Amino acid sequence: MELTMFERLLQLPLFQGLTTREIAEVMAHVRLDFVNYHSGDEIVMQGERCQGLIYIIQGEVVAEFRDTDNRFCLTEHLPHLKVIEPYNLFGMYQTYSRSYSFASSGRTLSIDKAMVLRYLMANDIIKINMMNITCNKYQQTQRLLCLFPDDTVQQKILKFILAHSISRKGTKEVQIKMTALAHIIHETRLNVSIALNQLQELGFLTLQRGGFVIKNIQQTTDLFTPFTPHK
């Protein structure tokens, strides 16, 4: 059954908690821009200024992060992505941290930043939702710092991937030379080679020319995260 526009909006993180009547009142003043895309079409590019909210209302998205020094490229498949970097709408760095494109045909809904400030932020529920989105991003970053108390080489590699990932879900493809990875995580090339081959033997990644692929990084990090019993 096809969802109505209000039902689609109520599924989006920023509008959760609103009633149909409340969202109708807000949307009466806000311009909604809808754009249809084909598979492979770019939505935004890394470094482009974030000038509004972009919601994915249909389709599967791929995100690509390129290191500023061209040492590596990380590509993520994000079939469940709902909104593109809302936390970069404000703050010191108001640009997209990576490029986004569609892996399938898709559709987006965009709301200009001026509309967000003038109308959306006037609603207390929407304002709280935006705060929660921003706080969740900060807390995820903080927890990553404490993920592995005593890093092994395998753990350093996993932390490196997570540090540059949007989500633990979805396939991660990393294009990087072993010498570059070794330099980034402060290990020898030999140690990195051994660690990657061990992870491949355990079935957690697949080595390929110029990099590797991880299908389920959540499963991998769960294995290498020390278990702390409840007292």
Coordinates of all heavy atoms in Angstrom, one line a residue, residues 84-138:
I84 N 20.7 12.9 5.2 CA 22.1 13.1 4.9 C 22.7 14.2 5.8 O 22.4 15.4 5.7 CB 22.3 13.5 3.4 CG1 21.9 12.3 2.5 CG2 23.8 13.8 3.2 CD1 22.0 12.6 1.1
E85 N 23.5 13.7 6.8 CA 24.3 14.6 7.6 C 23.6 15.8 8.2 O 24.0 17.0 8.0 CB 25.6 15.0 6.9 CG 26.4 13.8 6.5 CD 27.8 14.2 5.9 OE1 28.2 15.4 6.1 OE2 28.4 13.4 5.3
P86 N 22.5 15.7 8.9 CA 21.8 16.8 9.4 C 22.6 17.6 10.5 O 22.4 18.8 10.7 CB 20.5 16.2 10.1 CG 20.9 14.8 10.4 CD 21.8 14.4 9.3
Y87 N 23.6 16.9 11.1 CA 24.4 17.5 12.1 C 25.4 18.5 11.5 O 26.0 19.3 12.2 CB 25.2 16.5 12.9 CG 25.6 15.3 12.0 CD1 26.8 15.4 11.3 CD2 24.9 14.1 12.0 CE1 27.2 14.3 10.5 CE2 25.3 13.1 11.2 CZ 26.4 13.2 10.4 OH 26.8 12.1 9.6
N88 N 25.6 18.5 10.2 CA 26.5 19.5 9.5 C 25.7 20.7 9.0 O 26.3 21.5 8.3 CB 27.2 18.8 8.4 CG 28.3 17.9 8.9 OD1 28.8 18.1 10.0 ND2 28.7 16.9 8.1
L89 N 24.5 20.8 9.3 CA 23.7 22.0 8.9 C 24.1 23.2 9.7 O 24.0 24.3 9.3 CB 22.2 21.7 9.1 CG 21.2 22.7 8.5 CD1 21.4 22.8 7.0 CD2 19.8 22.3 8.9
F90 N 24.7 22.9 10.9 CA 25.1 24.0 11.8 C 26.6 23.7 12.3 O 27.1 22.6 11.9 CB 24.2 24.1 13.0 CG 22.8 24.3 12.7 CD1 21.9 23.2 12.8 CD2 22.3 25.5 12.3 CE1 20.6 23.4 12.5 CE2 20.9 25.7 11.9 CZ 20.1 24.6 12.0
G91 N 27.2 24.6 13.0 CA 28.5 24.3 13.6 C 29.6 25.0 12.8 O 29.3 25.8 11.8
M92 N 30.8 24.6 13.1 CA 32.0 25.3 12.5 C 32.2 24.8 11.0 O 32.6 25.6 10.2 CB 33.3 24.9 13.3 CG 34.5 25.7 12.8 SD 35.9 25.3 13.9 CE 35.4 26.0 15.5
Y93 N 31.9 23.5 10.8 CA 32.2 23.0 9.4 C 30.8 22.6 8.8 O 30.3 21.5 9.0 CB 33.1 21.8 9.5 CG 34.4 22.1 10.2 CD1 34.7 21.7 11.5 CD2 35.4 22.9 9.5 CE1 35.9 22.0 12.1 CE2 36.6 23.3 10.1 CZ 36.8 22.8 11.4 OH 38.0 23.1 12.0
Q94 N 30.3 23.5 8.0 CA 28.9 23.2 7.4 C 29.1 22.7 6.0 O 28.5 23.3 5.1 CB 28.1 24.5 7.5 CG 27.9 25.0 8.9 CD 27.1 26.3 9.0 OE1 26.4 26.6 8.1 NE2 27.2 27.0 10.1
T95 N 29.8 21.6 5.9 CA 30.0 21.0 4.6 C 29.8 19.5 4.7 O 30.0 18.9 5.8 CB 31.4 21.3 4.0 OG1 32.4 20.8 4.9 CG2 31.6 22.7 3.7
Y96 N 29.5 18.8 3.6 CA 29.3 17.4 3.7 C 30.7 16.7 3.8 O 31.6 17.0 3.1 CB 28.6 16.9 2.4 CG 27.1 17.4 2.4 CD1 26.7 18.4 1.5 CD2 26.2 16.8 3.2 CE1 25.4 18.8 1.5 CE2 24.9 17.3 3.2 CZ 24.5 18.3 2.4 OH 23.2 18.8 2.3
S97 N 30.7 15.7 4.6 CA 32.0 15.0 4.9 C 32.3 13.9 3.9 O 33.4 13.4 3.8 CB 31.9 14.3 6.3 OG 30.9 13.3 6.3
R98 N 31.3 13.6 3.0 CA 31.6 12.6 2.0 C 30.6 12.8 0.8 O 29.7 13.6 0.9 CB 31.4 11.2 2.5 CG 30.1 10.9 3.2 CD 30.2 9.8 4.2 NE 31.0 10.4 5.4 CZ 31.8 9.7 6.2 NH1 32.0 8.4 5.9 NH2 32.4 10.3 7.2
S99 N 30.7 12.0 -0.2 CA 29.8 12.1 -1.4 C 28.8 11.1 -1.3 O 29.0 10.0 -0.8 CB 30.6 12.0 -2.7 OG 31.6 13.0 -2.8
Y100 N 27.5 11.4 -1.7 CA 26.4 10.4 -1.7 C 25.8 10.3 -3.1 O 25.7 11.3 -3.8 CB 25.4 10.9 -0.7 CG 25.8 11.0 0.7 CD1 26.5 12.1 1.2 CD2 25.5 10.0 1.6 CE1 26.9 12.2 2.5 CE2 25.9 10.1 2.9 CZ 26.6 11.2 3.4 OH 27.0 11.3 4.7
S101 N 25.5 9.0 -3.4 CA 24.9 8.8 -4.7 C 23.9 7.6 -4.5 O 23.9 6.9 -3.5 CB 25.9 8.4 -5.8 OG 26.6 7.2 -5.4
F102 N 23.0 7.4 -5.5 CA 22.0 6.3 -5.4 C 22.6 5.1 -6.0 O 23.1 5.1 -7.1 CB 20.7 6.7 -6.1 CG 19.8 7.5 -5.2 CD1 19.6 8.9 -5.3 CD2 19.1 6.8 -4.2 CE1 18.8 9.6 -4.5 CE2 18.3 7.5 -3.3 CZ 18.1 8.9 -3.5
A103 N 22.4 3.9 -5.3 CA 22.7 2.6 -5.9 C 21.6 2.0 -6.6 O 21.7 1.0 -7.3 CB 23.2 1.7 -4.8
S104 N 20.4 2.7 -6.6 CA 19.2 2.3 -7.3 C 18.5 3.6 -7.7 O 19.0 4.7 -7.4 CB 18.3 1.5 -6.3 OG 17.9 2.3 -5.2
S105 N 17.4 3.4 -8.3 CA 16.6 4.6 -8.6 C 16.1 5.1 -7.2 O 15.9 4.3 -6.3 CB 15.4 4.3 -9.5 OG 14.6 3.3 -8.9
G106 N 15.9 6.4 -7.1 CA 15.6 7.0 -5.8 C 14.9 8.3 -5.8 O 14.7 8.9 -6.9
R107 N 14.5 8.8 -4.6 CA 13.9 10.1 -4.5 C 14.3 10.8 -3.2 O 14.4 10.1 -2.2 CB 12.4 9.9 -4.6 CG 11.6 11.2 -4.9 CD 10.1 10.9 -4.9 NE 9.3 12.0 -5.4 CZ 8.0 12.2 -5.2 NH1 7.3 11.4 -4.4 NH2 7.4 13.2 -5.7
T108 N 14.5 12.1 -3.3 CA 14.8 12.8 -2.1 C 13.8 13.9 -1.9 O 13.1 14.4 -2.8 CB 16.2 13.5 -2.2 OG1 16.2 14.4 -3.3 CG2 17.3 12.5 -2.4
L109 N 13.7 14.3 -0.6 CA 12.9 15.5 -0.2 C 13.9 16.5 0.5 O 14.6 16.1 1.4 CB 11.8 15.1 0.8 CG 10.9 16.1 1.4 CD1 9.7 15.4 1.9 CD2 11.6 16.9 2.5
S110 N 13.9 17.7 0.0 CA 14.8 18.7 0.5 C 14.1 19.9 1.2 O 13.1 20.3 0.6 CB 15.8 19.2 -0.6 OG 16.6 18.2 -1.1
I111 N 14.6 20.4 2.3 CA 14.1 21.6 2.9 C 15.2 22.6 3.1 O 16.2 22.3 3.7 CB 13.5 21.2 4.3 CG1 12.4 20.1 4.1 CG2 12.8 22.5 4.9 CD1 11.8 19.6 5.5
D112 N 15.1 23.8 2.6 CA 16.1 24.8 2.6 C 16.4 25.2 4.1 O 15.5 25.2 4.9 CB 15.7 26.0 1.8 CG 16.7 27.0 1.7 OD1 17.7 26.9 1.0 OD2 16.6 28.1 2.5
K113 N 17.6 25.5 4.3 CA 18.1 25.9 5.7 C 17.3 27.1 6.3 O 16.9 27.1 7.5 CB 19.6 26.2 5.7 CG 20.1 26.5 7.1 CD 21.6 26.7 7.0 CE 22.2 27.0 8.4 NZ 23.7 27.2 8.4
A114 N 16.9 28.0 5.4 CA 16.2 29.2 5.9 C 14.8 28.8 6.4 O 14.3 29.3 7.4 CB 16.0 30.2 4.8
M115 N 14.2 27.8 5.7 CA 12.9 27.2 6.2 C 13.1 26.5 7.5 O 12.2 26.5 8.4 CB 12.3 26.3 5.1 CG 12.0 27.0 3.8 SD 10.5 28.1 4.0 CE 10.4 28.8 2.4
V116 N 14.2 25.7 7.6 CA 14.4 25.0 8.8 C 14.5 25.9 10.0 O 13.9 25.7 11.1 CB 15.8 24.2 8.7 CG1 16.1 23.5 10.1 CG2 15.6 23.1 7.6
L117 N 15.3 27.0 9.9 CA 15.4 28.0 10.9 C 14.2 28.7 11.3 O 13.8 28.9 12.4 CB 16.5 29.0 10.6 CG 18.0 28.4 10.5 CD1 18.9 29.4 9.9 CD2 18.4 28.0 11.9
R118 N 13.4 29.1 10.2 CA 12.3 30.0 10.4 C 11.1 29.3 10.9 O 10.3 29.8 11.8 CB 12.0 30.7 9.1 CG 10.9 31.8 9.3 CD 10.7 32.6 8.0 NE 9.7 33.6 8.2 CZ 9.3 34.5 7.2 NH1 10.0 34.4 6.1 NH2 8.4 35.4 7.4
Y119 N 10.8 28.1 10.4 CA 9.6 27.4 10.7 C 9.8 26.1 11.5 O 9.1 25.9 12.5 CB 8.8 27.0 9.4 CG 8.4 28.3 8.7 CD1 9.0 28.6 7.5 CD2 7.4 29.1 9.2 CE1 8.5 29.7 6.8 CE2 6.9 30.2 8.5 CZ 7.6 30.6 7.3 OH 7.2 31.7 6.6
L120 N 10.7 25.2 11.1 CA 10.9 23.9 11.8 C 11.4 24.1 13.2 O 10.9 23.5 14.1 CB 11.8 23.0 11.0 CG 11.3 22.6 9.6 CD1 12.2 21.5 9.0 CD2 9.9 22.2 9.5
M121 N 12.4 24.9 13.4 CA 13.0 25.1 14.7 C 12.0 25.8 15.7 O 12.3 25.9 16.9 CB 14.3 25.8 14.6 CG 15.4 25.0 14.0 SD 15.8 23.5 14.9 CE 15.5 22.3 13.7
A122 N 10.9 26.4 15.2 CA 9.9 27.0 16.0 C 9.1 26.0 16.8 O 8.4 26.3 17.7 CB 9.0 27.9 15.2
N123 N 9.1 24.7 16.3 CA 8.4 23.6 16.9 C 9.2 22.9 17.9 O 10.3 22.5 17.6 CB 7.9 22.6 15.8 CG 7.1 21.5 16.4 OD1 7.6 20.6 17.0 ND2 5.8 21.6 16.2
D124 N 8.8 22.8 19.2 CA 9.6 22.3 20.2 C 10.0 20.8 20.0 O 11.1 20.4 20.3 CB 8.9 22.4 21.6 CG 8.8 23.8 22.1 OD1 9.7 24.6 21.6 OD2 8.0 24.1 22.9
I125 N 9.1 20.0 19.5 CA 9.3 18.6 19.2 C 10.4 18.4 18.2 O 11.4 17.6 18.3 CB 8.1 17.8 18.8 CG1 7.1 17.8 20.0 CG2 8.4 16.4 18.4 CD1 5.7 17.2 19.6
I126 N 10.3 19.2 17.1 CA 11.3 19.1 16.0 C 12.7 19.6 16.6 O 13.7 19.0 16.2 CB 10.9 20.0 14.8 CG1 9.6 19.4 14.2 CG2 12.0 20.1 13.8 CD1 9.1 20.2 13.0
K127 N 12.7 20.6 17.4 CA 13.9 21.2 18.0 C 14.6 20.1 18.8 O 15.8 19.9 18.8 CB 13.6 22.4 18.8 CG 14.8 23.2 19.2 CD 14.4 24.4 20.1 CE 13.5 25.3 19.3 NZ 13.2 26.5 20.1
I128 N 13.8 19.4 19.6 CA 14.3 18.3 20.5 C 14.9 17.2 19.6 O 15.9 16.6 19.9 CB 13.3 17.8 21.4 CG1 13.0 18.9 22.5 CG2 13.7 16.5 22.1 CD1 11.8 18.5 23.4
N129 N 14.2 16.8 18.5 CA 14.6 15.8 17.6 C 16.0 16.1 17.0 O 16.9 15.3 16.9 CB 13.6 15.5 16.5 CG 12.4 14.8 17.1 OD1 12.4 14.1 18.1 ND2 11.3 14.8 16.3
M130 N 16.1 17.4 16.6 CA 17.4 17.8 16.0 C 18.5 17.8 17.1 O 19.6 17.3 16.8 CB 17.3 19.3 15.5 CG 18.6 19.9 15.0 SD 19.2 19.0 13.6 CE 18.3 19.7 12.2
M131 N 18.2 18.1 18.3 CA 19.2 18.0 19.4 C 19.6 16.6 19.6 O 20.8 16.3 19.8 CB 18.7 18.6 20.7 CG 18.5 20.2 20.6 SD 17.7 20.8 22.1 CE 18.8 20.3 23.4
N132 N 18.6 15.7 19.6 CA 18.9 14.3 19.8 C 19.8 13.7 18.7 O 20.7 12.9 18.9 CB 17.6 13.5 19.8 CG 16.9 13.6 21.2 OD1 17.6 13.8 22.2 ND2 15.6 13.4 21.2
I133 N 19.5 14.1 17.4 CA 20.3 13.6 16.3 C 21.8 14.1 16.5 O 22.7 13.3 16.3 CB 19.7 14.2 15.0 CG1 18.4 13.5 14.7 CG2 20.7 14.0 13.8 CD1 17.6 14.2 13.5
T134 N 22.0 15.4 16.8 CA 23.3 15.9 17.0 C 24.0 15.2 18.2 O 25.2 14.9 18.1 CB 23.2 17.4 17.2 OG1 22.5 18.0 16.2 CG2 24.6 18.0 17.3
C135 N 23.3 15.1 19.3 CA 23.9 14.4 20.5 C 24.3 13.0 20.2 O 25.3 12.5 20.7 CB 23.0 14.5 21.7 SG 22.8 16.2 22.3
N136 N 23.4 12.3 19.5 CA 23.7 10.9 19.2 C 25.0 10.8 18.4 O 25.8 9.8 18.6 CB 22.6 10.3 18.4 CG 21.4 10.0 19.3 OD1 21.5 9.9 20.5 ND2 20.2 9.8 18.7
K137 N 25.2 11.7 17.4 CA 26.4 11.6 16.6 C 27.7 11.9 17.5 O 28.7 11.2 17.4 CB 26.3 12.7 15.6 CG 27.6 12.8 14.7 CD 27.8 11.5 13.9 CE 28.9 11.6 12.9 NZ 29.2 10.4 12.1
Y138 N 27.6 12.8 18.4 CA 28.7 13.1 19.3 C 29.0 11.9 20.2 O 30.1 11.5 20.5 CB 28.3 14.3 20.2 CG 29.3 14.6 21.3 CD1 30.6 15.2 21.0 CD2 29.1 14.3 22.6 CE1 31.5 15.4 22.0 CE2 30.0 14.5 23.6 CZ 31.2 15.0 23.3 OH 32.1 15.3 24.3

